[in-house]
Amino acid sequence: MKKNLSEDFSMEDSLEQIIQEKNLVYRPTRLMTGATLSYCPGCGHGTIHRLIMEVVEEMGIQAETIGVSPVGCAVLAYDFMDVDFTEAAHGRAPAVATGIKRLWPDKYVFTYQGDGDLAAIGTAETIHACNRGEQICIFFVNNGIYGMTGGQMAPTTLEGMVSSTTPYGRNVEQMGPPLKITELVAQLAGTYYVSRQSIHKAATVRKAKKAIRKAFEVQKEKKGMAFVEFVSNCNSGWKMTPNEANQWMEDHMFPFYPLGDIKVDGKLVKNVIQDL
Amino acid sequence: MKEIALIKGNEAIAEAAIRTGVDAYFGYPITPQSEVLEYLQLQKPEERTGMVVLQAESELAAINMVYGAAGTGKKVMTTSSSPGISLMQEGISYIAGAELPCLIVNVVRGGPGLGTIQPSQADYFQATKGGGHGDYRLIVLAPASVQEMADFVDLAFELAFKYRNPALILSDGLIGQMMEKVELPEPKERFTTFDQSWVITGKTADRERNIITSLNLDPELQYEHNIKLQQKYERMKEDVMFESFQTDDADFLLVAYGSSARICQKVVDVVRGRGKKLGLLRPITLFPFPTEVISELSRRVKGILSVEMSTGQMVEDVRLAANGRVPVYHYGTFGGKIHSPEDVLNAIEEKFIGGF
């Protein structure tokens, strides 16, 4: 039942009266370190970090969880998420995670990677870790651009999209079309759960969290690779306000990168060939 | 009783790894060292000791699997040959920066580029001066026999964990491929008693989170980190290892490691048979380099010849050690050719004119 706050509280109530356990509707996860995020206002990284940590907290697996951070904006992810971490070289996170998981088969290992890291320089490691069915989670943040180095073309940059290295828009004749790596890995036998989510609205945040939970559950049951893509914005790189960036993402990114589960319980639930 | 086997150098590395309790091997095939991965897979080490063996999709992936796995504080290794080791350099730099113990074996072949699959010692610079980016050093061991291929696996891990630093065994295609009688190492429990305080295990309530990284964006911190690394490399000098053959009364000195040292041993015997006083100093650790003993010998001999299967790499370190006191020459074939004792004898006669 929805609460009408005005019925419970009046302007005369002191803050002490309001801030009480019985009135709690949301508690930030204890597994974010509290360090000030280094991300731009409006960026999705902070929300995705929080969702992962909420799931780790709810599953009670902090003491068994090891993260692998990428090269890119999330290079300092270990400053914000309160779990053991290994920093990986650019693109190598799935190989690094493979090494950790093979030695600690009963622990939870996840990588956190951007599109340049995962789908350009690290393509081989991504494909082969997925193909081997490594028992890890890959969290893949796709904002269609290299954020940290200043907005260059990524493998996921849309056709015609302007970036600092495609100042006249991405010319697919010359540079190839954007790479749908998530549809690609979904076709490999080693992936058990593949999903594409976004975190730009309250409702999509809730769905994204469910996908993260599902990914960790797949790892718990040792079913195979769990791969979750988050289509996200890069308002700084896109040269837009956060609101404009979210709107542009809905109008342009989502049609090319449609949201939803792609593979569930080891079975394709979408026609990925058509989506390619 | 010791177990004796007649095996290849590459197989000795693999058998020693299983016996001495190595926890994981990640590798990629390349000639002339593919027998390591082949032997390991044949031996089913996951059944013998629980050792993890995985064929990676590339040397890049292999070294990064080593990097990830080394963060668990266990004994992790890879092997490759020259072009593959070049491909691993980024990862090795990260491992050195993050101060992770591990073992890398380079069964060297002739270069540059794709080069040849024949033996060479032309990766000395790469092994001892860094190889990847940044100011770092590896602990470098140079085996001269199949026996030492077997023995140095455990030794390398002892040193790697002592200093929390990657160790490299610098072998070559000759030692990797040749068969010799070997006393196999005593089996060792797959358990390490080394300091585990820095290891990624999952954060428990009683400690801060452990982070394996080589990143320090603040130049002050990176500066401090570099000083700490340099101090560590300085401390490694206490583990310098070398072997002397008839150097006590030597008038002339050969300096050679690995295969070349085996060839030079023969040369010393031949020259001594002719009544001439030739000695051989064999560095076993190439880093730390036995600078002090060469420096001391350079005060007693009339000349030094550095013999290596390269166009002259170690000779630079020998010259630094001799510091101009006596002439230091280089001799060696390269590009996959192996010098014979006669080749070295001719070089001695040519270089040490009047000496003999």
Side-chain angles (χ1 to χ4, degrees), chain B residues 110-334:
Chain B
L114 204 48
T116 167
I117 58 170
Q118 306 302 327
S120 165
Q121 292 182 313
D123 293 357
Y124 176 91
F125 281 153
Q126 187 195 51
T128 62
K129 310 296 178 191
H133 58 284
D135 273 332
Y136 75 89
R137 292 290 186 274
L138 308 175
I139 299 158
V140 184
L141 298 170
S145 63
V146 176
Q147 182 67 57
E148 284 186 342
M149 290 286 259
D151 294 344
F152 284 5
V153 171
D154 199 44
L155 173 64
F157 274 110
E158 292 288 337
L159 294 171
F161 276 88
K162 177 177 176 183
Y163 294 105
R164 265 191 69 182
N165 202 73
L168 184 134
I169 292 179
L170 190 70
S171 178
D172 64 58
L174 184 55
I175 301 170
Q177 292 296 329
M178 76 179 175
M179 295 178 91
E180 282 188 300
K181 190 180 86 171
V182 179
E183 266 187 24
L184 297 174
E186 293 290 324
K188 221 172 159 178
E189 283 293 303
R190 204 170 66 84
F191 173 74
T192 55
T193 51
F194 304 105
D195 169 30
Q196 302 276 300
S197 59
W198 51 271
V199 168
I200 44 161
T201 58
K203 180 191 179 295
T204 45
D206 59 344
R207 67 161 171 84
E208 286 297 300
R209 64 194 186 285
N210 282 338
I211 297 165
I212 306 292
T213 183
S214 57
L215 179 70
N216 281 305
L217 286 173
D218 181 346
E220 280 302 323
L221 294 178
Q222 192 62 42
Y223 174 78
E224 292 298 328
H225 181 56
N226 267 278
I227 287 176
K228 185 183 155 209
L229 290 179
Q230 291 304 318
Q231 287 168 343
K232 179 169 80 171
Y233 304 146
E234 193 63 25
R235 280 201 309 279
M236 287 177 186
K237 283 183 181 169
E238 71 181 60
D239 282 301
V240 165
M241 280 175 270
F242 57 86
E243 200 175 2
S244 307
F245 295 95
Q246 313 208 32
T247 55
D248 286 351
D249 63 343
D251 289 329
F252 289 90
L253 182 70
L254 301 178
V255 181
Y257 69 94
S259 300
S260 282
R262 290 288 286 277
I263 295 159
C264 287
Q265 244 180 297
K266 170 83 176 172
V267 173
V268 171
D269 286 344
V270 170
V271 172
R272 286 273 171 177
R274 294 176 190 169
K276 309 280 187 183
K277 291 175 179 171
L278 182 67
L280 166 66
L281 190 283
R282 171 171 83 98
I284 294 172
T285 53
L286 296 178
F287 189 91
F289 192 71
T291 304
E292 222 164 278
V293 64
I294 295 173
S295 171
E296 193 210 316
L297 286 166
S298 72
R299 293 164 203 277
R300 296 197 265 123
V301 299
K302 295 173 188 162
I304 302 176
L305 181 67
S306 174
V307 182
E308 30 176 340
M309 290 188 283
S310 74
T311 55
Q313 298 192 9
M314 182 180 68
V315 64
E316 292 189 5
D317 287 332
V318 178
R319 279 199 185 115
L320 284 171
N323 201 18
R325 278 180 285 271
V326 288
V328 176
Y329 304 101
H330 161 257
Y331 173 73
T333 56
F334 36 83

Side-chain angles (χ1 to χ4, degrees), chain A residues 78 84-85 87 104 132, chain B residues 67 200 207 209-210 212:
Chain A
Y78 51 73
D84 279 2
F85 250 98
E87 167 59 37
W104 291 138
R132 286 191 302 266
Chain B
Y67 169 79
I200 44 161
R207 67 161 171 84
R209 64 194 186 285
N210 282 338
I212 306 292

